[in-house]
Amino acid sequence: MGNSAAASLFREYINVLEAVRFSSVCPEKLSWKVVEKNDEVWTLEKIGSSIQCMAGVANIRATETEIADFLRDPRTRFSYDRTLYKTNVVAEVNPDLRLIYAHHKAKHCLIGHGRDFLYFQYDRREGEKRILAHASCTHPKCPADPQIIRGTMYETGFIIEPLPETGMSSVVYVVKIEPGGYIPEALLRWFKRKQPKILFEIKKYFEK
């Protein structure tokens, strides 16, 4: 379960980095396109996907371990994701695998009455890189609430790579979800622009 999600996430990571590197050279051969770029965060969108797929790329002034420890704790997400309303760890399977519940709302009714997700978080190393992979799962302790639409999370998460002799790390954040239910197109566009930019908030946390 965890290894499969991490491998799928890593493949998307490679595709995202190719889009960043070659977007101005051969965009027609890429599976992701750059939507916005500046000195802080690049945001991207997957081409031709039937689900919501977006990504962010940023360099953050912190070590790989500091960033991974920060992101592993679901409670820290309150500091960088303003749509998060409630979260908790449902089960600890082992030191590298845990099940997490998250309920998201938005002030401007981005996702109607909100969406919730039950997903696993898997922590794995790939050489010098750290992968925090997330994907939807089920658990008897956390059944779906009929009052809340439960979204589906596909291979989503963070890949963190140390940048030697800089005191910084490269962070790629990939989001692949199906929120379920009806969401107006304008609000979906807003969400797709906003979600990768949580890397701005993570940068601010480490660089304040």
Side-chain angles (χ1 to χ4, degrees):
M1 178 172 67
N3 279 321
S4 176
S8 296
L9 178 61
F10 193 78
R11 286 193 293 271
E12 290 292 14
Y13 160 79
I14 297 298
N15 292 334
V16 166
L17 290 187
E18 285 183 347
V20 168
R21 184 177 180 184
F22 299 114
S23 60
S24 61
V25 180
C26 50
E28 71 281 356
K29 297 182 179 180
L30 303 171
S31 57
W32 288 76
K33 66 178 180 180
V34 176
V35 176
E36 183 179 347
K37 59 182 178 180
N38 56 47
D39 292 338
E40 299 291 328
V41 177
W42 288 47
T43 60
L44 302 92
E45 184 176 304
K46 189 163 187 180
I47 300 169
S49 177
S50 61
I51 61 174
Q52 306 307 314
C53 297
M54 60 224 83
V57 181
N59 292 339
I60 296 177
R61 191 167 297 283
T63 67
E64 162 264 318
T65 300
E66 289 170 335
I67 297 170
D69 288 348
F70 175 77
L71 295 173
R72 273 175 55 90
D73 184 349
R75 295 168 299 181
T76 63
R77 194 172 185 103
F78 286 110
S79 68
Y80 60 85
D81 186 348
R82 296 181 182 179
T83 70
L84 185 62
Y85 174 70
K86 178 183 178 182
T87 188
N88 62 276
V89 175
V90 175
E92 292 270 5
V93 180
N94 59 52
D96 296 326
L97 181 64
R98 58 175 58 171
L99 275 55
I100 298 170
Y101 172 79
H103 183 188
H104 292 262
K105 292 184 178 182
K107 292 180 180 179
H108 301 295
C109 299
L110 167 65
I111 44 179
H113 297 292
R115 298 292 189 273
D116 70 359
F117 296 87
L118 178 63
Y119 63 93
F120 65 80
Q121 178 195 79
Y122 180 61
D123 187 352
R124 187 178 104 174
R125 287 192 176 276
E126 188 75 26
E128 294 185 349
K129 301 175 182 66
R130 188 82 168 267
I131 302 173
L132 295 178
H134 306 155
S136 282
C137 62
T138 59
H139 194 278
K141 288 185 178 180
C142 191
D145 183 335
Q147 302 300 315
I148 306 172
I149 296 174
R150 177 153 293 182
T152 302
M153 183 182 296
Y154 299 93
E155 53 272 18
T156 288
F158 299 87
I159 299 91
I160 310 157
E161 181 178 11
L163 301 175
E165 300 180 7
T166 66
M168 303 181 74
S169 299
S170 168
V171 181
V172 175
Y173 175 45
V174 176
V175 184
K176 299 178 71 175
I177 64 168
E178 177 50 68
Y182 170 73
I183 301 176
E185 185 62 30
L187 295 180
L188 271 179
R189 288 197 299 270
W190 180 89
F191 174 75
K192 290 170 78 170
R193 290 195 308 269
K194 189 75 173 176
Q195 191 59 206
K197 292 182 179 179
I198 67 172
L199 290 179
F200 276 121
E201 302 302 321
I202 297 171
K203 280 176 67 72
K204 283 167 58 177
Y205 173 86
F206 282 103
E207 297 177 7
K208 61 187 178 183

